[in-house]
Amino acid sequence: FSSRILLLDGKVALITGSTQGIGLAIAKEFAEHNGATVIVCSRSKDKARRAAALLNGKTDYASIDVTSDASIVKSMTKVLASHKHIDILVNNAGFPFERKIWYKSLDQISITALKDILEVDTVGSVRMTKTVIGSMLASKRGGVIVNISSTPAMYGHFEGAPYTMAKAAIVALTKHIAREYGKRNIRAYTLMLGNIATETTYKFMTREERLKGAQEAAMKRWGRPEEVAKVAACVSSDYFSFATGNTVVIDGGAEMS
């Protein structure tokens, strides 16, 4: 007899950008520890398939480019034909960290770079949300949408303005979902992340930059993708059934308000 609680038992979760880093950690947490059927997503079908094969539990995969309406419609048609409904959407796909974009002041940023980041992080999340909410409404099961943001969206920063602006819009998206669809049993949350040691950021930083980042948190360390994944599982579960529109800050106590 096992007393283990599966927070997401019987749920179908689709996670964009889930072949590495935080997205893969969330997929692993959902599938291996909480009983969800997880659809691993990437622009590359092969990458999505390989990542799904790494996970224990119930998994599937899909090739989705969040910047393309055609790609989303095509892939979601196949997903819904196989799984009938989506209970949880995690909008995790984001524009990769690039030093040449991040380490510039606001007056030096490229409008092209800003548009590129907005297209993936913000517009991509809106595209996915519109499609998945439609399926949630049609199934009448309700659902949960989790959006990924970062702490500069709330507090500002000295660099990386394009990323900050894109992630700030994510907070507004969450609140609109919560307000507009709460009566239809659809909940939404923003996970606002501080310094998380992912492949796309941590490994590209110098030793000095890593040490400086660790000192920003009260806990004096970087967060782990697995720690973000556990919070994602909690808010996606029925344990949060009367909370929606919330911004959950995961930054080791770097910013407290």
Side-chain angles (χ1 to χ4, degrees):
F1 175 79
S2 174
S3 60
R4 179 181 171 194
I5 297 174
L6 300 176
L7 295 180
L8 308 176
D9 192 28
K11 305 289 187 181
V12 178
L14 187 147
I15 306 165
T16 64
S18 48
T19 61
Q20 63 180 354
I22 292 169
L24 183 60
I26 294 174
K28 183 180 180 68
E29 180 68 27
F30 281 21
E32 297 187 0
H33 303 296
N34 287 289
T37 296
V38 173
I39 301 159
V40 177
C41 300
S42 170
R43 286 178 298 175
S44 166
K45 185 176 182 178
D46 288 340
K47 285 184 178 180
R49 183 178 64 247
R50 288 196 296 268
L54 294 174
L55 305 177
N56 295 318
K58 295 170 285 188
T59 64
D60 198 354
Y61 60 91
S63 171
I64 296 180
D65 179 355
V66 300
T67 67
S68 167
D69 288 320
S71 172
I72 292 171
V73 170
K74 180 179 179 180
S75 296
M76 287 302 300
T77 298
K78 292 180 180 178
V79 167
L80 292 171
S82 298
H83 299 279
K84 309 306 179 188
H85 56 83
I86 299 296
D87 298 295
I88 303 162
L89 167 66
V90 181
N91 282 314
N92 173 73
F95 195 88
F97 171 79
E98 292 190 9
R99 298 181 67 89
K100 65 181 180 181
I101 297 175
W102 182 269
Y103 292 107
K104 287 185 177 179
S105 58
L106 179 61
D107 63 291
Q108 296 175 326
I109 66 171
S110 160
I111 297 301
T112 298
L114 171 61
K115 289 180 178 179
D116 288 344
I117 294 170
L118 287 169
E119 184 65 20
V120 177
D121 290 53
T122 306
V123 182
S125 295
V126 172
R127 284 193 174 101
M128 289 301 303
T129 296
K130 281 166 56 66
T131 302
V132 173
I133 276 185
S135 71
M136 289 177 175
L137 294 173
S139 72
K140 299 181 181 180
R141 290 169 59 98
V144 176
I145 296 174
V146 180
N147 296 315
I148 306 298
S149 183
S150 59
T151 51
M154 183 178 291
Y155 305 107
H157 199 60
F158 298 104
E159 299 155 324
Y163 292 96
T164 297
M165 288 183 271
K167 292 302 187 183
I170 290 296
V171 179
L173 172 61
T174 294
K175 294 185 182 299
H176 270 273
I177 297 167
R179 286 283 186 188
E180 294 185 38
Y181 298 98
K183 63 186 177 184
R184 304 295 292 274
N185 195 31
I186 295 174
R187 296 180 279 124
Y189 307 94
T190 300
L191 302 188
M192 184 168 282
L193 312 184
N195 291 329
I196 308 298
T198 66
E199 295 177 6
T200 54
T201 55
Y202 194 76
K203 77 174 185 178
F204 290 109
M205 290 185 167
T206 65
R207 181 175 181 276
E208 291 72 22
E209 288 167 345
R210 293 173 182 175
L211 291 172
K212 181 180 178 182
Q215 292 306 305
E216 292 175 359
M219 294 181 177
K220 302 304 177 187
R221 66 174 177 87
W222 285 67
R224 300 186 298 274
E226 294 77 12
E227 293 175 302
V228 176
K230 292 182 186 300
V231 177
C234 287
V235 299
S236 298
S237 75
D238 290 340
Y239 279 20
F240 271 69
S241 60
F242 195 56
T244 189
N246 308 82
T247 298
V248 182
V249 179
I250 309 171
D251 70 350
E255 302 285 354
M256 302 184 195
S257 60

